[in-house]
Amino acid sequence: MINDILKYGIMYVVLVLVQVLLINNVQLGGMYSPFIYILFILLLPFDTPRYLLLILGFLLGLTIDIFSNTPGIHASATVFTAFLRPGVLMLISSRDTYEPGSAPRISTYGFEWFLKYAVILVLAHNLFLFFVEAFTLHGLFHTLLKAIINAFLSIILIVLSQYLVFRK
């Protein structure tokens, strides 16, 4: 258990640093910047209690907000993502298919399963984040396009990280 806490603590710090120091400083087309930090919520073990998912989502988003100087936008989006996660897991497969103590990984559950899982949660995160940021329906299609492109870029980074860092 202590080993898992240390492992996820290091993952938290590394993902926040990569997001804040690298990815936030590289914008494609002046407005597109993927979000790798949500990988932390995606990779938590299946048996993580809901209250802990929400707390960790809030702390993760708040950390990104502090470094990005955004007023709670990332915190609200990561809490929303953490809230949706158990429902998405039940939607894409039954509870019986998960091994006790395991976590969602491409190496364990396959590319297709992980891609469905990541696409749903990353798209939900990005839609929530960008619509809260815009806080208006004026420019609806522009905001929608921005969320979809950012989600696409985020998913590419998340899948690549699965093959580069989290392989068996």
Side-chain angles (χ1 to χ4, degrees):
M1 179 166 161
I2 301 240
N3 192 19
D4 284 342
I5 293 172
L6 184 62
K7 178 176 77 172
Y8 284 101
I10 291 169
M11 184 192 319
Y12 180 96
V13 170
V14 168
L15 287 172
V16 166
L17 288 175
V18 166
Q19 182 69 47
V20 171
L21 298 176
L22 293 175
I23 297 175
N24 283 358
N25 294 318
V26 177
Q27 290 193 354
L28 304 169
M31 59 193 272
Y32 305 115
S33 181
F35 301 117
I36 189 77
Y37 71 91
I38 56 176
L39 183 60
F40 179 76
I41 298 296
L42 296 176
L43 295 184
L44 287 171
F46 292 118
D47 53 359
T48 304
R50 287 180 185 233
Y51 74 89
L52 188 56
L53 274 173
L54 297 175
I55 291 169
L56 291 172
F58 176 73
L59 292 174
L60 177 64
L62 185 63
T63 305
I64 297 296
D65 282 329
I66 289 169
F67 286 112
S68 302
N69 200 22
T70 51
I73 294 171
H74 292 278
S76 62
T78 51
V79 167
F80 180 70
T81 306
F83 176 76
L84 290 180
R85 183 180 181 250
V88 169
L89 286 170
M90 281 198 273
L91 178 71
I92 61 175
S93 59
S94 68
R95 273 266 192 225
D96 301 336
T97 59
Y98 304 135
E99 297 173 23
S102 69
R105 304 270 197 281
I106 283 180
S107 59
T108 309
Y109 293 95
F111 177 79
E112 184 181 335
W113 181 91
F114 187 83
L115 188 64
K116 280 192 280 189
Y117 169 68
V119 165
I120 293 169
L121 287 177
V122 171
L123 190 57
H125 173 272
N126 280 291
L127 287 169
F128 188 92
L129 182 111
F130 287 114
F131 278 105
V132 166
E133 180 184 52
F135 208 65
T136 182
L137 292 179
H138 181 72
L140 173 75
F141 293 110
H142 175 71
T143 305
L144 188 61
L145 181 65
K146 186 176 176 183
I148 291 170
I149 290 172
N150 273 299
F152 177 74
L153 295 172
S154 299
I155 291 165
I156 289 172
L157 280 180
I158 287 169
V159 169
L160 280 174
S161 75
Q162 287 289 290
Y163 285 111
L164 298 175
V165 179
F166 298 103
R167 64 181 177 219
K168 280 190 174 181

